[in-house]
Amino acid sequence: MESIWLEYGWTLLILIGLEGILSADNALVLAVIAKHLPDEQKKKAINYGIIGAFVFRFAALFAISFIANVWQVQAIGAAYLIYLGLKHVIGNVFGSEKDEKDDLEEESAGKGFWPTVAKIGLADLAFAIDSILAAVALAIVLPETPLPDFGGMDGGQFIIVLIAGIAGLVLIKFAANWFVKLLDDRPGLETTAYMIVAWVGVKLAVITLSHVGILAEDFPHTTGWTITFWGVLLAIAIIGWFVSGKTGPKEDTSN
């Protein structure tokens, strides 16, 4: 019995760390998507985004068996994250001056708040799916407990996923506003964030392909793919940090 407690405790620590990384990504995306809004609307949009993250992750917790077994749900999440990431990265490389002008005109007309909130909500949903799938992949291999099943999982395994999910939500709450300030200092991190979004989408796509038989069923959980995914993610983050650079001090335009 003691060995089971140790195994559950160790898995919980790993899961909290994993949720912390995924929550940081989620929070960074909230900050990036809301970045173009005026300060007051930006704060409101991020608050809505945090609420959305709470709602979607808790909903995902109670639909674990559905999310884990219906590949279409995973495919939609993967497609959206890849689209969101590539659209920005490609647009940043090949974007025109006219596009920037159109964006500025839209912002100056006071438009775009609710579409921005909707975009944040879709990103929250996709990250919620990824978060729950990652947690389930680790928790499902734990030994079963005498607790009753919940959400298609053993009760003990579900509790581990639940605690880790709550920890992730707490981190989103504190991280989102910090990332807003960080993006003001390092605007180049915006492209890095969207590259991470696209890469997380690739991970969901790999899970989807394993469900439909194109890849081996256990491929998403192999050591090789796990090392590849986290290695690339870490490389994007580190390189993005160093190439983003800091902005100079803002000029005082009050005079």
Side-chain angles (χ1 to χ4, degrees), residues 18 68 74 130 133-134 136-138 200 202-230:
L18 177 62
Q74 300 161 21
D130 181 59
L133 288 175
V136 169
L138 285 176
V200 172
V202 169
K203 186 177 87 165
L204 271 180
V206 166
I207 294 172
T208 302
L209 293 175
S210 72
H211 272 226
V212 298
I214 295 176
L215 294 174
E217 188 175 350
D218 64 341
F219 179 79
H221 312 302
T222 58
T223 302
W225 167 245
T226 302
I227 292 173
T228 299
F229 173 76
W230 290 109

Side-chain angles (χ1 to χ4, degrees), residues 117-207:
V117 171
K119 192 175 180 182
I120 286 174
L122 286 172
D124 279 339
L125 178 58
F127 270 98
I129 293 170
D130 181 59
S131 170
I132 294 304
L133 288 175
V136 169
L138 285 176
I140 203 72
V141 298
L142 290 169
E144 294 187 355
T145 67
L147 297 174
D149 289 356
F150 204 97
M153 295 182 69
D154 172 82
Q157 296 170 356
F158 178 83
I159 290 172
I160 289 291
V161 174
L162 176 64
I163 294 172
I166 291 172
L169 291 171
V170 171
L171 289 168
I172 288 178
K173 169 65 178 172
F174 289 103
N177 290 321
W178 181 76
F179 278 124
V180 168
K181 297 176 183 175
L182 183 63
L183 286 169
D184 284 337
D185 292 336
R186 290 178 175 267
L189 282 177
E190 183 174 355
T191 299
T192 302
Y194 276 111
M195 289 176 69
I196 290 173
V197 167
W199 185 237
V200 172
V202 169
K203 186 177 87 165
L204 271 180
V206 166
I207 294 172

Side-chain angles (χ1 to χ4, degrees), residues 6 17 25 34 48 88 93 105 132 150 152 181 191 233 242 250:
L6 287 173
D25 290 344
Y48 282 136
H88 175 85
V93 174
E105 287 176 353
I132 294 304
F150 204 97
K181 297 176 183 175
T191 299
L233 184 68
F242 283 108
K250 294 183 179 179

Side-chain angles (χ1 to χ4, degrees), residues 80-92 194-195 197-198:
Y80 180 70
L81 290 181
I82 292 172
Y83 164 78
L84 192 64
L86 292 183
K87 179 174 180 286
H88 175 85
V89 173
I90 293 171
N92 192 51
Y194 276 111
M195 289 176 69
V197 167

Side-chain angles (χ1 to χ4, degrees), residues 100-113:
E100 294 177 6
K101 183 180 177 184
D102 290 342
D103 289 342
L104 288 171
E105 287 176 353
E106 183 180 20
E107 290 166 31
S108 64
K111 297 178 182 177
F113 176 75

Side-chain angles (χ1 to χ4, degrees), residues 34-46:
K35 185 184 176 190
H36 71 282
L37 295 172
D39 285 343
E40 193 61 35
Q41 289 189 351
K42 185 189 298 182
K43 290 177 184 177
K44 285 177 64 177
I46 288 175

